[in-house]
Amino acid sequence: MGMKPGAGMKADAVVVGAGVVGAAVARALAVAGRRVVIIEQGVPGGAVSGASLACIGTHMMDEDELPLLKWCCDEWAAFAEAAPDFEYSRCGQLRFLKQESERRSADEWIGIETAAGLSPTLLDPEAVRRIEPELTGPIHAATWSPNSAVVNPFLAVRRLLEAAQAARATLVSRNPATALRVVGGRIAGVETADGPIEAGIVVIAGGPWTAKLAATAGVQLPIVPRKAQCLATVSVPRSIRTVVGACKAEGGVDAGYTQIQQAMSGQILFNTVLEGGVTAAGSPDDIPEVDRAFIRDSIATLLFLFPKFAEIDLLRSWVRYEAVTPDDRFLTGPAGPDGLFVAAGDGGTGFVRSLGMARIIADLVAGRESPFRRDLYDPARFDRRAAA
Ligand SMILES: Cc1cc2nc3c(=O)[nH]c(=O)nc-3n(C[C@H](O)[C@H](O)[C@H](O)COP(=O)(O)OP(=O)(O)OC[C@H]3O[C@@H](n4cnc5c(N)ncnc54)[C@H](O)[C@@H]3O)c2cc1C
């Protein structure tokens, strides 16, 4: 933890950022035998990753990404077997419908996921209560995806870093990479206030700060920061067993986004963002306040579903900046000078995808084919669309 860059610090690869994506990339490269330095400007997991609800699932996510998402869920389960505890719990996920008009979308998603070998089902309110007894609000129905899991986000990042360090990766904390080094058109490492770290490969996994660092080598990336907010109640006895969300439907459940779950500490963690899930952009260096409308809508949804919590006390709220691209998919792959890669732009669901992004980077560095569609994440995809 206490390593400092300085004269002569050399590696095969520098990974910038110790959020869940950088930690996963560092682990994948180190396990593949590369000498890795991972550099973090703050504390590992201290940006959006540690503030995540960290649901690991495939349900109603992205049809094109389903194979990768399935692979990621299996990898998380395998990592939970191998690594010391990070509170991995395969609790399943419910997505509620308020009215019959949302049914078509629910049926479509169930069809897509069933064809992909998953087993979601549609439940009536009585069946929902057999799974989630306290969900007594007046819902119309809910989809049920039994394979979704949750993890403790801080512990998960820590375990990934420990696995990277066990494979001889070096972690440098509280030390920003201030610029990329480019020599003769090739990447040559990063600059820090304490001196350079030399490496022929640099992977920027800097979340919403990624575009700023890439720009130091003249690389423009379409990543913008977006506010992500959450609320937590005081601890209460185990009441919510699953991850509860709104059905993903055009105009459905007020066209919003909801996630409610109970942490192992007993705190209920919840957020509802209406109007299509879009919150304000800003600078990732701001310390913004939680929006009042967000608090109101989040409480209203919690109480609509779980009226028994009408008297529960709120404990805390937080805001982080997640990295967003124009199509809400990661930019993962080569960018700009030879040796430079990025893995950022999570669109708000990067925890589950992090292991897949790490696999893509490790395959690219090793010159191997990936089992996934790399074109979905190619950082150059927007340039090509603009040129067409
Ligand atoms: C409330 C909430 C709920 C969420 N729920 C889910 C969920 O259920 N499932 C899911 O999959 N995802 C979820 N997410 C999203 C998920 O947490 C993020 O997609 C994921 O954590 C992004 O990880 P990251 O490593 O890309 O980013 P970050 O965690 O932001 O990591 C980037 C790191 O890079 C460092 N860095 C940047 N620039 C530099 C530099 N120049 N030098 C050194 N270090 C640098 C930063 O300090 C930071 O630590 C949620 C997010 C929030 C806020």
Side-chain angles (χ1 to χ4, degrees), residues 17 19-21 40-41 47 49 52-53 55 177 259 346 348-352:
V20 69
V21 176
E40 166 56 48
Q41 64 189 359
S49 294
S52 180
L53 294 183
C55 174
Q259 192 164 332
D346 54 272
T349 47
F351 220 96
V352 55

Side-chain angles (χ1 to χ4, degrees), residues 16-22 39-43 45-56 61 175-178 205-210 213 228-230 257 259 261 271 318 320-322 330 343-353:
V16 180
V20 69
V21 176
I39 181 164
E40 166 56 48
Q41 64 189 359
V43 293
V48 75
S49 294
S52 180
L53 294 183
C55 174
I56 305 298
M61 299 275 282
N175 206 329
T178 50
W209 293 271
T210 299
L213 185 61
Q229 314 177 81
C230 203
Y257 168 84
Q259 192 164 332
Q261 61 206 53
N271 61 17
W318 62 93
R320 292 291 186 283
Y321 280 103
E322 54 199 17
F330 267 88
D346 54 272
T349 47
F351 220 96
V352 55
R353 291 174 169 92

Side-chain angles (χ1 to χ4, degrees), residues 317-376:
S317 62
W318 62 93
V319 181
R320 292 291 186 283
Y321 280 103
E322 54 199 17
V324 182
T325 65
D327 62 5
D328 260 353
R329 290 196 184 116
F330 267 88
L331 302 185
T332 298
D338 275 357
L340 180 63
F341 298 86
V342 294
D346 54 272
T349 47
F351 220 96
V352 55
R353 291 174 169 92
S354 55
L355 301 187
M357 297 305 113
R359 169 73 193 264
I360 290 175
I361 294 290
D363 286 343
L364 280 163
V365 167
R368 273 193 313 256
E369 276 303 309
S370 260
F372 315 120
R373 280 186 56 189
R374 277 192 200 152
D375 60 305
L376 294 176

Side-chain angles (χ1 to χ4, degrees), residues 11-221:
D12 298 325
V14 174
V15 178
V16 180
V20 69
V21 176
V25 170
R27 167 179 169 258
L29 293 178
V31 166
R34 307 269 166 180
R35 281 177 310 147
V36 176
V37 171
I38 176 164
I39 181 164
E40 166 56 48
Q41 64 189 359
V43 293
V48 75
S49 294
S52 180
L53 294 183
C55 174
I56 305 298
T58 54
H59 192 36
M60 295 189 181
M61 299 275 282
D62 181 328
E63 184 176 356
D64 291 334
E65 289 190 77
L66 256 183
L68 176 124
L69 287 163
K70 273 178 70 181
W71 183 89
C72 288
C73 289
D74 291 345
E75 279 296 293
W76 276 109
F79 187 53
E81 292 280 315
D85 189 28
F86 53 94
E87 298 180 2
Y88 175 92
S89 160
R90 186 170 281 198
C91 57
Q93 189 172 16
L94 289 162
R95 296 264 201 168
F96 68 96
L97 288 66
K98 265 186 176 170
Q99 57 230 354
E100 175 63 22
S101 58
E102 294 163 48
R103 174 73 188 264
R104 208 177 63 166
S105 171
D107 285 341
E108 271 172 23
W109 277 108
I110 287 173
I112 290 165
E113 292 173 27
T114 304
L118 296 159
S119 48
T121 46
L122 190 75
L123 305 179
D124 63 23
E126 205 182 308
V128 169
R129 281 192 277 282
R130 280 198 289 275
I131 292 172
E132 194 66 275
E134 307 289 2
L135 203 168
T136 58
I139 59 169
H140 179 71
T143 60
W144 167 238
S145 173
N147 68 320
S148 297
V150 288
V151 302
N152 177 313
F154 253 120
L155 293 179
V157 173
R158 191 177 292 178
R159 299 294 175 251
L160 288 169
L161 287 172
E162 285 166 1
Q165 287 171 300
R168 309 182 72 80
T170 302
L171 174 64
V172 176
S173 300
R174 298 184 189 278
N175 206 329
T178 50
L180 296 168
R181 306 183 81 216
V182 181
V183 177
R186 265 205 66 89
I187 206 79
V190 297
E191 303 289 352
T192 78
D194 296 321
I197 307 174
E198 293 174 30
I201 294 165
V202 172
V203 185
I204 315 178
W209 293 271
T210 299
K212 189 175 159 197
L213 185 61
T216 64
V219 179
Q220 305 302 321
L221 297 174

